[in-house]
Amino acid sequence: MPVKLHGTMFINPAGHLEIGGCDTVQLAREFGTPLWVMDENYIRQQCRLFKKAFIDNLGGDAAYASKAFLTQAMAAIIKEEGLSLDVVSGGELFTALQAGFPARRIYFHGNNKSREELKMAIQSHVGKIVVDNFYELTLLEEIIQEIGDEPVPVMLRIAPGVEAHTHEYVQTGQEDTKFGFSLASGQALEAGKRVLKSELLTLKGIHCHIGSQIFETDSFAAAAEIMIDFIAQMYKKTGYLIGELNLGGGFGIYYSKGDTPKTIEEYAENIISAATEYAERYGVPVPRIIVEPGRSIVGPAGTTLYTVGSYKEIPGIRKYISVDGGMTDNIRTALYGAVYEGIIANKALHEPEEIVTIAGKCCESGDILIKDISLPRVEPGDILAITCTGAYGYTMASNYNRLPRPAVVLVRDGQADIIVRRETYEDLLRQEVLPRRLRG
Ligand code: LLP
């Protein structure tokens, strides 16, 4: 009898971890390790939940935040599932366009978009540019004048002074962030007026993003109140009614014990009831709600497979098990103290026997993937699967220590397709130039 874990994750009758109908021990053998395994059905299921809650039921929008994980295949899935896309750089935009993603369904973010990036966005007719600051407003107008395009639809990113943490939110009122127009100083209002006066820009809506890995719906409600209050103020001062409110992403996911995410339906219900309540309180129509989930669409869909190598036991202190990847493919433990769970893919039904620490292979003491995890006896050659690594692993990967970046395989119904090839040593040299005078 297979044992069901999450998504399409099972322990199959061979006692191996299986994802998307593929035995991960086989995947490791076929494609090598480290390997990111992305569960296509899980991604699609999450997309459908967001689409149903925010697009179909509400007439709003849901834009996948591509910074969490983007390849052409991913953009193609998002396109098929009917979500919009949030990009933050020319590179993300290029990837989406190359995959045939409709430009009209793209939101272009960023606190320092370059002239070239803005030009690219305008010329490809992205749906909305989310303007972050006054410099960008001026730059945008200059570019539009130069290339003589039609008025560009924009949203204004606003810093609402709400900061969400995993289990709480704080209304900081603080303006000290690099993102967006500050509210308290009146800059947001000034920016709104400026866009309204501009013949080159059309004001479509306002945007905020209050944080990531948020479990409490209160934080979104608090942000919604502040933003709707702003809509009311803009209306009072200019007679212009802002129709769209983008509340950003940040929906929390399960990484490890103690994480208690709400369902997408719960987040949606809370957001819409807060928006309805505050719209009434501040005397404006309920704006069209947009969200930008990243992690909650791809996080639990991803699993990283590693091969176990060396180990070191310090009697009475700790046992280190080293794997063939590390902070190069997942910097989140080192950077944020993120906590993951893992399973020995080829011993998925074995009882836990020891508490070990999973170390990467990089020359850095902080290169730890999981501290103190309870596992069956681990031996060199075993396949360790670390779960919920689909978000911000691949996109934040590096070549530290000149480690080639791993491959990404997309699994579905027993089929495994490579969507990113493993880097080779030659790839590491591809962009390098060895000047003639240094060639021995
Ligand atoms: N929208 C905006 C404007 C954002 O800045 C972000 C994330 C999102 C949407 C998506 O948030 P999500 O739903 O994925 O939480 N590298 C960090 C996360 C940084 C998130 C930055 N912005 C990590 O690995 O946890």
Side-chain angles (χ1 to χ4, degrees), residues 32 38 45-46 49 69 88 94 127 134 147 173 179 208 212 231 240 270 307 314 333 361-362 382 395 398 423 427 429:
M38 300 298 289
Q45 166 207 302
Q46 295 304 97
L49 290 173
F69 175 79
V88 295
F94 180 76
F134 288 111
I147 59 180
F179 294 110
C208 68
S212 263
I231 293 178
Y240 185 80
N270 280 285
T307 302
I314 313 165
T333 307
K361 66 180 273 133
C362 296
D382 281 345
T395 51
S398 78
E423 280 181 346
D427 289 331
L429 303 187

Side-chain angles (χ1 to χ4, degrees), residues 84-106:
S84 294
L85 198 71
D86 145 0
V87 302
V88 295
S89 70
E92 287 183 353
L93 177 58
F94 180 76
T95 306
L97 295 175
Q98 286 295 109
F101 197 90
R104 288 273 167 222
R105 273 163 46 197
I106 295 179

Side-chain angles (χ1 to χ4, degrees), residues 63 65 67-68 86 88 109 157 179 207-209 211-214 246 248-251 255 292-296 332 335-336 391-393 396:
K67 73 203 77 172
D86 145 0
V88 295
H109 288 268
R157 174 152 186 178
F179 294 110
H207 169 281
C208 68
H209 172 76
S212 263
Q213 186 63 354
I214 302 170
N246 186 331
F251 308 97
Y255 279 103
E292 291 168 344
R295 188 188 318 268
S296 48
R332 297 192 70 263
L335 199 57
Y336 313 117
Y392 303 106
M396 290 170 82

Side-chain angles (χ1 to χ4, degrees), residues 178-348:
K178 74 168 182 172
F179 294 110
F181 294 96
S182 89
L183 257 184
S185 67
Q187 283 176 2
L189 197 63
E190 194 188 328
K193 288 181 180 165
R194 190 164 149 192
V195 175
L196 288 181
K197 270 199 216 115
S198 171
E199 283 171 9
L200 304 169
L201 307 171
T202 322
L203 183 58
K204 289 290 184 190
I206 50 174
H207 169 281
C208 68
H209 172 76
I210 54 171
S212 263
Q213 186 63 354
I214 302 170
F215 292 146
E216 289 310 316
T217 50
D218 292 9
S219 325
F220 291 105
E225 172 165 17
I226 289 167
M227 298 295 274
I228 289 172
D229 183 12
F230 177 75
I231 293 178
Q233 282 182 46
M234 268 291 286
Y235 183 58
K236 220 182 283 163
K237 302 229 161 84
T238 66
Y240 185 80
L241 201 52
I242 293 172
E244 297 191 354
L245 172 57
N246 186 331
L247 289 171
F251 308 97
I253 62 165
Y254 178 91
Y255 279 103
S256 58
K257 215 163 158 236
D259 289 339
T260 51
K262 298 256 184 318
T263 64
I264 291 162
E265 292 87 345
E266 282 173 307
Y267 283 118
E269 270 165 32
N270 280 285
I271 287 176
I272 189 59
S273 69
T276 311
E277 179 189 335
Y278 297 126
E280 198 170 307
R281 185 176 308 169
Y282 293 96
V284 288
V286 182
R288 182 168 178 257
I289 302 289
I290 301 160
V291 289
E292 291 168 344
R295 188 188 318 268
S296 48
I297 288 183
V298 285
T303 302
T304 317
L305 304 180
Y306 301 95
T307 302
V308 171
S310 69
Y311 55 91
K312 167 184 175 176
E313 187 152 13
I314 313 165
I317 300 188
R318 182 180 299 284
K319 181 168 177 185
Y320 287 96
I321 301 281
S322 293
V323 296
D324 54 355
M327 63 196 292
T328 36
D329 57 77
N330 187 354
I331 200 169
R332 297 192 70 263
T333 307
L335 199 57
Y336 313 117
V339 180
Y340 287 90
E341 290 178 351
I343 177 169
I344 299 295
N346 51 309
K347 297 177 178 168

